[in-house]
Coordinates of all heavy atoms in Angstrom, one line a residue:
M1 N 0.8 -1.2 0.0 CA 0.0 0.0 0.0 C 0.9 1.2 0.0 O 2.0 1.2 0.5 CB -0.9 0.0 1.2 CG -1.8 -1.2 1.3 SD -3.5 -0.8 1.9 CE -4.1 0.2 0.7
K2 N 0.3 2.3 -0.5 CA 1.1 3.6 -0.6 C 1.5 4.0 0.8 O 0.8 4.0 1.7 CB 0.2 4.6 -1.3 CG 1.0 5.9 -1.6 CD 0.2 6.8 -2.5 CE 1.0 8.0 -2.9 NZ 0.3 8.9 -3.7
G3 N 2.8 4.5 0.8 CA 3.3 5.0 2.1 C 4.0 4.0 2.9 O 4.5 4.3 4.0
E4 N 4.1 2.7 2.5 CA 4.7 1.7 3.4 C 6.2 1.6 3.2 O 6.9 1.0 3.9 CB 4.1 0.3 3.0 CG 2.7 0.1 3.5 CD 2.2 -1.3 3.2 OE1 3.0 -2.1 2.8 OE2 1.0 -1.5 3.4
G5 N 6.7 2.3 2.1 CA 8.2 2.2 1.8 C 9.0 2.7 3.0 O 10.0 2.0 3.3
G6 N 8.7 3.8 3.6 CA 9.5 4.3 4.7 C 9.7 3.3 5.9 O 10.8 3.2 6.4
A7 N 8.6 2.6 6.2 CA 8.7 1.7 7.3 C 9.6 0.5 7.0 O 10.3 0.0 7.9 CB 7.3 1.2 7.7
R8 N 9.6 0.1 5.8 CA 10.5 -1.0 5.3 C 11.9 -0.6 5.4 O 12.8 -1.4 5.7 CB 10.1 -1.5 3.9 CG 8.7 -2.2 3.9 CD 8.4 -2.6 2.6 NE 7.0 -3.2 2.6 CZ 6.2 -3.2 1.6 NH1 6.5 -2.6 0.5 NH2 5.0 -3.8 1.7
I9 N 12.2 0.6 5.0 CA 13.6 1.1 5.1 C 14.2 1.0 6.5 O 15.4 0.6 6.7 CB 13.7 2.6 4.6 CG1 13.3 2.7 3.1 CG2 15.1 3.2 4.8 CD1 14.3 2.0 2.2
A10 N 13.4 1.2 7.5 CA 13.8 1.2 8.9 C 14.3 -0.2 9.3 O 15.1 -0.3 10.3 CB 12.7 1.7 9.8
T11 N 14.0 -1.2 8.6 CA 14.4 -2.6 9.0 C 15.7 -3.0 8.3 O 16.2 -4.0 8.6 CB 13.3 -3.6 8.7 OG1 13.1 -3.6 7.3 CG2 12.0 -3.2 9.4
L12 N 16.2 -2.2 7.3 CA 17.4 -2.6 6.6 C 18.6 -2.2 7.4 O 18.7 -1.1 8.0 CB 17.5 -1.8 5.3 CG 16.4 -2.2 4.3 CD1 16.5 -1.2 3.1 CD2 16.5 -3.6 3.8
P13 N 19.6 -3.1 7.5 CA 20.8 -2.8 8.3 C 21.6 -1.7 7.5 O 21.7 -1.7 6.3 CB 21.6 -4.2 8.3 CG 21.0 -4.9 7.1 CD 19.6 -4.5 6.9
N14 N 22.2 -0.8 8.3 CA 23.1 0.2 7.7 C 22.3 1.2 6.8 O 23.0 1.9 6.1 CB 24.3 -0.4 7.0 CG 25.1 -1.3 7.9 OD1 25.4 -0.9 9.1 ND2 25.4 -2.4 7.4
A15 N 21.0 1.3 6.8 CA 20.3 2.2 6.0 C 19.9 3.4 6.8 O 19.5 3.3 8.0 CB 19.0 1.5 5.4
V16 N 19.9 4.6 6.2 CA 19.5 5.8 6.8 C 18.4 6.4 5.9 O 18.7 6.7 4.7 CB 20.7 6.8 6.9 CG1 20.2 8.1 7.5 CG2 21.8 6.2 7.8
G17 N 17.2 6.6 6.5 CA 16.2 7.1 5.7 C 16.2 8.7 5.7 O 16.3 9.3 6.7
V18 N 16.2 9.2 4.5 CA 16.1 10.7 4.3 C 15.1 11.0 3.2 O 14.8 10.1 2.4 CB 17.5 11.3 4.0 CG1 18.5 11.2 5.1 CG2 18.0 10.8 2.7
E19 N 14.6 12.2 3.2 CA 13.6 12.5 2.2 C 14.3 12.6 0.8 O 15.5 12.8 0.7 CB 13.0 13.9 2.5 CG 12.1 13.9 3.7 CD 11.4 15.2 3.9 OE1 10.6 15.6 3.0 OE2 11.8 15.9 4.8
G20 N 13.5 12.4 -0.2 CA 14.0 12.5 -1.6 C 13.8 11.3 -2.4 O 14.1 11.3 -3.6
G21 N 13.4 10.2 -1.8 CA 13.1 9.0 -2.5 C 11.7 8.5 -2.2 O 11.3 8.5 -1.1
L22 N 11.0 8.1 -3.3 CA 9.6 7.6 -3.1 C 9.4 6.4 -4.0 O 9.9 6.4 -5.1 CB 8.6 8.6 -3.4 CG 8.5 9.8 -2.5 CD1 7.6 10.9 -3.0 CD2 8.1 9.4 -1.1
P23 N 8.7 5.4 -3.5 CA 8.3 4.3 -4.4 C 7.2 4.8 -5.4 O 6.4 5.7 -5.0 CB 7.8 3.2 -3.5 CG 7.3 4.0 -2.3 CD 8.2 5.2 -2.2
I24 N 7.1 4.1 -6.5 CA 6.0 4.4 -7.5 C 5.1 3.2 -7.5 O 5.6 2.1 -7.8 CB 6.5 4.7 -8.9 CG1 7.4 6.0 -8.8 CG2 5.4 4.9 -9.9 CD1 8.1 6.3 -10.1
F25 N 3.8 3.4 -7.2 CA 2.9 2.3 -7.2 C 1.9 2.3 -8.4 O 1.6 3.4 -8.9 CB 2.0 2.4 -5.9 CG 2.7 2.1 -4.6 CD1 3.4 3.1 -4.0 CD2 2.7 0.8 -4.1 CE1 4.0 2.9 -2.8 CE2 3.4 0.6 -2.9 CZ 4.1 1.6 -2.2
K26 N 1.6 1.1 -8.8 CA 0.5 1.0 -9.9 C -0.3 -0.2 -9.4 O 0.2 -1.3 -9.2 CB 1.1 0.7 -11.2 CG 0.0 0.6 -12.3 CD 0.6 0.6 -13.7 CE -0.6 0.5 -14.7 NZ -0.2 0.7 -16.0
D27 N -1.6 0.0 -9.2 CA -2.5 -1.0 -8.8 C -2.0 -1.7 -7.5 O -2.1 -2.9 -7.3 CB -2.7 -2.1 -9.9 CG -3.3 -1.5 -11.1 OD1 -4.1 -0.5 -11.0 OD2 -3.0 -1.9 -12.2
G28 N -1.5 -0.9 -6.6 CA -1.0 -1.4 -5.3 C 0.3 -2.1 -5.3 O 0.7 -2.7 -4.3
I29 N 1.0 -2.2 -6.4 CA 2.3 -2.8 -6.6 C 3.4 -1.8 -6.9 O 3.2 -0.9 -7.7 CB 2.2 -3.9 -7.7 CG1 1.2 -4.9 -7.4 CG2 3.6 -4.6 -7.9 CD1 0.9 -5.9 -8.5
I30 N 4.5 -2.0 -6.2 CA 5.6 -1.1 -6.5 C 6.2 -1.4 -7.9 O 6.6 -2.6 -8.1 CB 6.8 -1.2 -5.5 CG1 6.2 -0.7 -4.1 CG2 8.0 -0.3 -5.9 CD1 7.2 -0.9 -3.0
V31 N 6.2 -0.4 -8.8 CA 6.7 -0.7 -10.2 C 7.9 0.1 -10.4 O 8.5 0.0 -11.5 CB 5.6 -0.3 -11.2 CG1 4.4 -1.2 -11.1 CG2 5.1 1.1 -11.1
G32 N 8.4 0.9 -9.5 CA 9.6 1.7 -9.7 C 9.8 2.6 -8.5 O 9.1 2.5 -7.5
S33 N 10.7 3.6 -8.7 CA 10.9 4.6 -7.7 C 11.5 5.8 -8.3 O 11.9 5.8 -9.4 CB 11.9 4.0 -6.6 OG 13.1 3.7 -7.2
I34 N 11.5 6.9 -7.5 CA 12.1 8.1 -7.9 C 13.0 8.6 -6.8 O 12.6 8.5 -5.6 CB 11.0 9.2 -8.3 CG1 11.6 10.4 -8.9 CG2 10.1 9.5 -7.1 CD1 10.6 11.4 -9.6
G35 N 14.1 9.1 -7.2 CA 15.0 9.7 -6.2 C 15.6 11.0 -6.6 O 15.9 11.2 -7.8
V36 N 15.6 12.0 -5.7 CA 16.1 13.3 -6.0 C 17.2 13.7 -5.0 O 17.0 13.4 -3.8 CB 14.9 14.3 -5.9 CG1 15.4 15.7 -6.2 CG2 13.8 13.9 -6.9
S37 N 18.2 14.3 -5.4 CA 19.3 14.8 -4.6 C 19.9 16.0 -5.2 O 20.1 16.1 -6.4 CB 20.3 13.7 -4.4 OG 21.4 14.2 -3.5
G38 N 20.1 17.0 -4.4 CA 20.8 18.2 -4.9 C 20.5 19.4 -4.1 O 21.3 20.4 -4.2
V39 N 19.4 19.4 -3.3 CA 19.1 20.6 -2.5 C 18.9 20.0 -1.1 O 19.5 18.9 -0.8 CB 17.9 21.3 -3.0 CG1 18.3 22.1 -4.2 CG2 16.7 20.5 -3.3
T40 N 18.2 20.7 -0.2 CA 18.0 20.1 1.1 C 17.1 18.9 1.1 O 16.4 18.7 0.1 CB 17.3 21.1 2.1 OG1 16.0 21.3 1.6 CG2 18.1 22.5 2.1
S41 N 17.2 18.0 2.1 CA 16.3 16.8 2.1 C 14.9 17.2 2.0 O 14.1 16.5 1.2 CB 16.6 16.0 3.4 OG 17.8 15.4 3.4
A42 N 14.4 18.2 2.6 CA 13.0 18.6 2.5 C 12.6 19.0 1.1 O 11.6 18.6 0.6 CB 12.7 19.7 3.5
Q43 N 13.5 19.8 0.5 CA 13.3 20.2 -0.9 C 13.3 19.0 -1.9 O 12.5 18.8 -2.8 CB 14.3 21.2 -1.3 CG 14.1 22.6 -0.6 CD 15.2 23.5 -0.8 OE1 16.4 23.1 -0.9 NE2 14.9 24.8 -0.9
D44 N 14.3 18.0 -1.6 CA 14.3 16.8 -2.4 C 13.0 16.1 -2.3 O 12.5 15.6 -3.3 CB 15.5 15.9 -1.9 CG 16.8 16.5 -2.2 OD1 17.0 17.3 -3.1 OD2 17.8 16.0 -1.6
G45 N 12.4 16.0 -1.1 CA 11.2 15.3 -0.9 C 10.0 15.9 -1.7 O 9.2 15.2 -2.3
I46 N 10.0 17.3 -1.7 CA 8.9 18.0 -2.4 C 9.0 17.7 -3.9 O 8.0 17.5 -4.6 CB 9.0 19.5 -2.1 CG1 8.6 19.8 -0.7 CG2 8.1 20.3 -3.1 CD1 9.0 21.2 -0.2
I47 N 10.2 17.7 -4.4 CA 10.5 17.5 -5.8 C 10.1 16.0 -6.2 O 9.5 15.8 -7.2 CB 11.9 17.8 -6.2 CG1 12.2 19.3 -6.0 CG2 12.2 17.4 -7.7 CD1 13.6 19.7 -6.1
A48 N 10.5 15.1 -5.4 CA 10.2 13.7 -5.6 C 8.7 13.5 -5.6 O 8.1 12.8 -6.5 CB 10.9 12.8 -4.6
E49 N 8.0 14.1 -4.7 CA 6.5 13.9 -4.6 C 5.9 14.5 -5.9 O 4.9 13.9 -6.4 CB 6.0 14.6 -3.4 CG 4.5 14.4 -3.2 CD 4.0 15.0 -1.8 OE1 4.8 15.2 -0.9 OE2 2.8 15.1 -1.7
A50 N 6.4 15.6 -6.3 CA 5.8 16.2 -7.6 C 6.0 15.3 -8.8 O 5.2 15.1 -9.6 CB 6.5 17.6 -7.9
G51 N 7.2 14.6 -8.8 CA 7.4 13.6 -9.9 C 6.5 12.5 -9.8 O 6.0 12.0 -10.8
V52 N 6.2 11.9 -8.6 CA 5.3 10.8 -8.5 C 3.9 11.2 -8.9 O 3.2 10.5 -9.5 CB 5.4 10.2 -7.0 CG1 4.2 9.2 -6.8 CG2 6.7 9.6 -6.8
K53 N 3.5 12.4 -8.5 CA 2.2 12.9 -8.8 C 2.0 13.1 -10.3 O 0.9 12.9 -10.9 CB 1.8 14.2 -8.1 CG 1.5 14.1 -6.7 CD 1.2 15.4 -6.0 CE 0.9 15.2 -4.5 NZ 0.6 16.5 -3.9
G54 N 3.1 13.4 -11.0 CA 3.1 13.5 -12.5 C 3.1 12.2 -13.2 O 2.8 12.2 -14.4
Y55 N 3.3 11.1 -12.5 CA 3.4 9.8 -13.1 C 2.0 9.4 -13.4 O 1.1 9.1 -13.7 CB 4.0 8.8 -12.1 CG 3.8 7.4 -12.5 CD1 4.5 6.8 -13.6 CD2 2.9 6.6 -11.8 CE1 4.3 5.5 -14.0 CE2 2.7 5.2 -12.2 CZ 3.4 4.7 -13.3 OH 3.2 3.4 -13.6

């Protein structure tokens, strides 16, 4: 389901969750992802969300 990606990241060893990456879902299945890096984490998150909404 949408929004579950962040919780799964927390269970990975040596992983650090920061804004800027989001899974892309189609019919409830992850079909890809988008990642943005280059400005602050908060701004990366806003840009990534805009990209997913445009999908």
Side-chain angles (χ1 to χ4, degrees):
M1 301 219 64
K2 189 172 185 179
E4 290 182 10
R8 291 181 182 146
I9 295 293
T11 65
L12 296 172
N14 303 313
V16 177
V18 294
E19 290 186 69
L22 293 172
I24 298 173
F25 290 89
K26 181 173 183 169
D27 300 326
I29 298 171
I30 296 176
V31 296
S33 62
I34 187 168
V36 178
S37 179
V39 286
T40 68
S41 289
Q43 291 168 325
D44 290 343
I46 291 167
I47 296 165
E49 187 174 340
V52 170
K53 285 181 180 180
Y55 166 74

